[in-house]
Amino acid sequence: MSDVETKEAVYVTDQLIADDIDAYLVQHEHKTMLRFITCGSVDDGKSTLIGRLLYDSKMIFEDQLDALQSDSKKVGTQGQEIDFALLVDGLAAEREQGITIDVAYRFFNTEKRKFIVADCPGHEQYTRNMVTGASTADLAVILIDARKGVLVQTRRHSYLCHLIGIKNIVLAVNKMDLVDYSQDVFDRIVEEYGAFAREIGIESFTALPISGFKGDNITTLSDKTPWYKATQYAGITLVEHLETVEVLSSVDADKPFRLPVQWVNRPNLDFRGFSGLIATGSVRAGDKIRVLPSGKTSTITRVVTYDGDLEEAVAGQSVTVCFADEIDCSRGSVISIADNPPQTADQFEATFVWMADEAMVPGRAYWLKVGTQMVSATVQEPKYEVNVNTMEKLAAKTLELNAIGVAELTTDKQIVFEAYADNRTLGGFILIDKMTNATVAAGMIHFSLRRSQNVHWQAVDIDRKQHAGLKNQRPAVLWFTGLSGSGKSTIANLVEKKLHRMNRHTFLLDGDNVRHGLNKDLGFTEADRIENIRRVGEVSKLMTDAGLIVITAFISPFQADREMVRSMLPEGEFFEVFIDTPLKVAEARDVKGLYKKARSGELKNFTGIDSPYEAPRNPEIRIDTTVISPEEAANLIVDTLLGDA
Amino acid sequence: MKTLTHLERLEAESIHIIREVVAEAEKPVMLYSVGKDSAVMLHLARKAFYPSPPPFPLLHVDTTWKFKAMYELRDKMARESGMELLVYQNPEAAEKGINPFDHGALHTDMWKTEGLKQALDKFGFDAAFGGARRDEEKSRAKERIFSFRTSSHGWDPKNQRPELWNLYNARKARGESIRVFPISNWTELDIWQYIHLNDIPIVPLYFADKRPTVERDGMLLMVDDERFPLQPGEVPVERSIRFRTLGCYPLTGAVESEAKTLPEVIQETLLTTTSERQGRAIDKDAGGAGMEVKKQQGYF
């Protein structure tokens, strides 16, 4: 260890461990926890700072130090000195390339607290990782290289931390040893940063002059910066500051009670409990509560845990509560204090951080998860995108990977929500691609749009059941999908004729016909195709409400769009009919001469040629037109439809 | 207003994770390796669903080379928790007589990595809880809590789903699965302290006692049964030892110790100067990236 600069700055592990382990354990038991992130690039000495914190709090063991020393000599960037960065860069690719790719989580303790550090890469292309790390942080340490001052990336990191709602910002002016511990340098940087922070709405921050490499002002005050005591930050060390700032969960405890229900606990007929993590507020037996979205009220009778019933539980605790009344409550419900419940809505404005290689597709249906609610949602074209380096608002048609923008969002059901600024749990959401199941975006709800609060469903006396009853049939949608020229229209026509002969009330919606009227304003871009399908879906739904059997014949190449229509309809009423004709066969038929045009480049975005067709994975009916005739296919479809009914 | 302690927050987070999996997965299972981390994970599962028993089985991917004391505790804990215990041994490894003395890295590969994949496929589990912690090893520090695996169980560290707030995306296609690590954010000290505060039963091997040992390649190995092949001139020596981590007994190094109580064990842990995985041969395979490579192949 001799070649490490240890000085007096080493954080002394509590002497208590050796002297009185029981007393130490009591002390450790009562520690609180702070989660923070460090932002900066390799050059700012971020990994070195974390390595230093781990080292000074004795979280680096001898075998790790040995490995570190040999790695430092092999691939380190600090000459013969220990390169703490190597301790933090865990993936082989990172060590080889000397960059941090992914968020890494590190742990250390002091006498007062346990710390979880999310180490976030500083490169622009990894915005998504920084947002990920920031989402669970109580505090952010923004690192600045004292020689370089406030850089574009400093602004970007600060903006992202502010966006995600971090209230405690620490400006760590690092590498002070390389500027002779100059107060002028420090003051200039703090002033410049202060002006920028005010501009983007950061209310306050704490600035410290440090050297992660030498250990100045990390765990003990440095004698190299005597002037630091006289600044407004009163000369506290980084660790002291981290030990004393208020943590998020104690702020959340003072808000109104909200418990998103994860799971209903019903071991036997005598016990019915609702389990979840308390998002905000506190709860005790006797509290009057309201369950959203139903709005039904009851009283808490017990707060149950394995270790006995609790008198009171607060934000951040996982509990199970019981009610006095048998009211409807299940996964996705939110239990709230009765007189101050959150709202429900289905249209919102929100900020999005796009996290997938595939750009946002306005109009496409994604899964949206907020708290324990999972719904289908579509996003409008962005109102604007934010340039994360300049904070300028730019016009945008979509959001690409790592882009941040504001857009409107519509969910297929009302969700229980609060503005993100008031409640991270009920205001923060993720979007999931329905095809790949990847998490493609994170979002933060600003507010619900007025129109969704004012447009109410008009209750009608004659409902869909009665419409269908009069026609003596069960409504359904036979949704044909397949390549152009696969035989959709031909078979769909035969199916309608058969059903008509059987006195069924039907309606055939054909792709080409719809584009002459209802959808004549739409072209063939991806967004227009999605809107085309959405409108057909809505019309089909109205027709099933009227009791009809609807037959549609559209290429409808995207699984997500077909799923969107499926999710509009009651369970069992949507039949995906896959007319499975190989491209070769369809192209050989080329009834309308379209493939020829597409091949010659005359026709753009043609499915199967320069636009993909996503075959259904689990269609209700699959017709292989290379094996059976259109007549046989129509019989099979009718039999399946009616047999199922 | 009361501020929760770090252990209260960790406990709440872990319970939340376990419940999310049960709510969203079709067929979850808990991997139970009988070590101290498994003990804490099992205890958290019991807390999560109380008064119901945890609504999933325990799965022990057995290498047949665990310490005897581990098998005893395993069976006891399954009885006590009211959970079904599934034990899986890779039949191919058994047939070929793969063992840690003759086959080195192949032993771990066949019994553990392959055995785990086979077991998950055989029972059709789509989500498996594991007791890994981020402070254990460098590549673990970068793994998500919900770690997504392809249908061939591969892990792609560069293509992990972002995990924001406490929102977990458990959606997957048929055949794909997730490994879930509810105690990702616990440290070794947290584990010990939680066991202490909650009086959680653990394998007695964690406490010092006189045990027959031999010294090999700088590791102290315990002679747990008659299958241990002694080299010419090698005689087991009684030493007061304990284990910081438990695996296959021929691969797990002991430390000399007098710590007979939990506080003494914790004290020793805190004052020690080597990390806990140091006693395990597995991390040393394949150079510095040993665990990362193993995980890509489907190891937990």
Side-chain angles (χ1 to χ4, degrees), chain B residues 107-158:
Chain B
H107 168 76
T108 306
D109 197 51
M110 295 272 290
W111 284 109
K112 288 182 84 172
T113 310
E114 285 305 314
L116 174 63
K117 289 193 228 174
Q118 288 172 1
L120 295 179
D121 289 343
K122 177 184 169 193
F123 296 105
F125 294 121
D126 64 337
F129 294 105
R133 308 188 322 266
R134 284 173 172 156
D135 76 329
E136 277 178 277
E137 198 271 334
K138 281 196 276 194
S139 74
R140 294 244 201 247
K142 304 213 167 179
E143 187 161 14
R144 303 286 187 260
I145 290 172
F146 279 52
S147 187
F148 180 78
R149 301 302 164 98
T150 61
S151 49
S152 56
H153 301 280
W155 179 59
D156 179 2
K158 288 193 215 104

Side-chain angles (χ1 to χ4, degrees), chain A residues 258-262 264 274-275 290-294 323 328-336 371-373 416 426:
Chain A
R258 310 280 186 250
L259 174 65
V261 175
Q262 283 188 283
V264 179
F274 306 95
S275 303
R290 187 181 297 271
V291 175
L292 281 295
S294 75
F323 300 157
D328 205 25
C329 184
S330 56
R331 177 168 171 87
S333 301
V334 175
I335 305 171
S336 150
T372 56
Q373 306 169 86
V416 185
L426 293 181

Side-chain angles (χ1 to χ4, degrees), chain A residues 25 66 75 80 117 129 198 285 315 351 417 439 444 446 540 581:
Chain A
L25 287 176
D66 286 347
V75 286
Q80 286 303 299
V117 193
N129 290 333
R198 274 191 301 280
T351 296
F417 81 101
T439 302
M444 290 152 279
H446 300 172
S540 303
T581 304

Side-chain angles (χ1 to χ4, degrees), chain A residues 233-338:
Chain A
Y233 309 107
I236 62 168
T237 65
L238 179 60
V239 167
E240 270 177 293
H241 183 66
L242 296 175
E243 280 181 331
T244 49
V245 294
E246 190 174 26
V247 297
L248 205 65
S249 67
S250 29
V251 178
D252 283 341
D254 291 331
K255 294 176 179 173
F257 174 63
R258 310 280 186 250
L259 174 65
V261 175
Q262 283 188 283
W263 192 72
V264 179
N265 193 336
R266 187 127 220 215
N268 54 55
L269 291 175
D270 302 326
F271 187 93
R272 184 163 171 259
F274 306 95
S275 303
L277 179 70
I278 301 174
T280 56
S282 58
V283 64
R284 27 171 86 227
D287 283 356
K288 295 261 181 290
I289 54 92
R290 187 181 297 271
V291 175
L292 281 295
S294 75
K296 296 268 166 47
T297 57
S298 185
T299 307
I300 300 282
T301 53
R302 296 174 63 190
V303 180
V304 182
T305 76
Y306 180 93
D307 303 300
D309 283 12
L310 298 181
E311 198 179 312
E312 184 185 47
V314 299
Q317 280 183 288
S318 283
V319 293
T320 297
V321 295
C322 302
F323 300 157
D325 311 276
E326 283 257 339
I327 57 172
D328 205 25
C329 184
S330 56
R331 177 168 171 87
S333 301
V334 175
I335 305 171
S336 150
I337 188 150

Side-chain angles (χ1 to χ4, degrees), chain A residues 33 35 102-103 105 107 116 132 135-136, chain B residues 9-10 12-21 41 126-134 139-149 155 160-170 177-186 295 300:
Chain A
M33 183 159 91
R35 301 184 66 138
D102 213 297
V103 190
Y105 296 91
F107 309 86
I116 301 182
T132 302
S135 71
T136 50
Chain B
R9 279 180 74 183
L10 289 173
E13 178 186 69
S14 301
I15 290 175
H16 175 255
I17 291 163
I18 295 170
R19 287 172 175 166
E20 278 301 283
V21 173
M41 184 168 65
D126 64 337
F129 294 105
R133 308 188 322 266
R134 284 173 172 156
S139 74
R140 294 244 201 247
K142 304 213 167 179
E143 187 161 14
R144 303 286 187 260
I145 290 172
F146 279 52
S147 187
F148 180 78
R149 301 302 164 98
W155 179 59
Q160 302 196 74
R161 290 174 178 175
E163 228 161 49
L164 291 111
W165 301 292
N166 56 11
L167 283 177
Y168 302 102
N169 173 6
S177 61
I178 40 173
R179 311 284 161 87
V180 182
F181 304 107
I183 56 169
S184 285
N185 286 327
W186 296 57
K295 290 174 76 67
F300 232 76

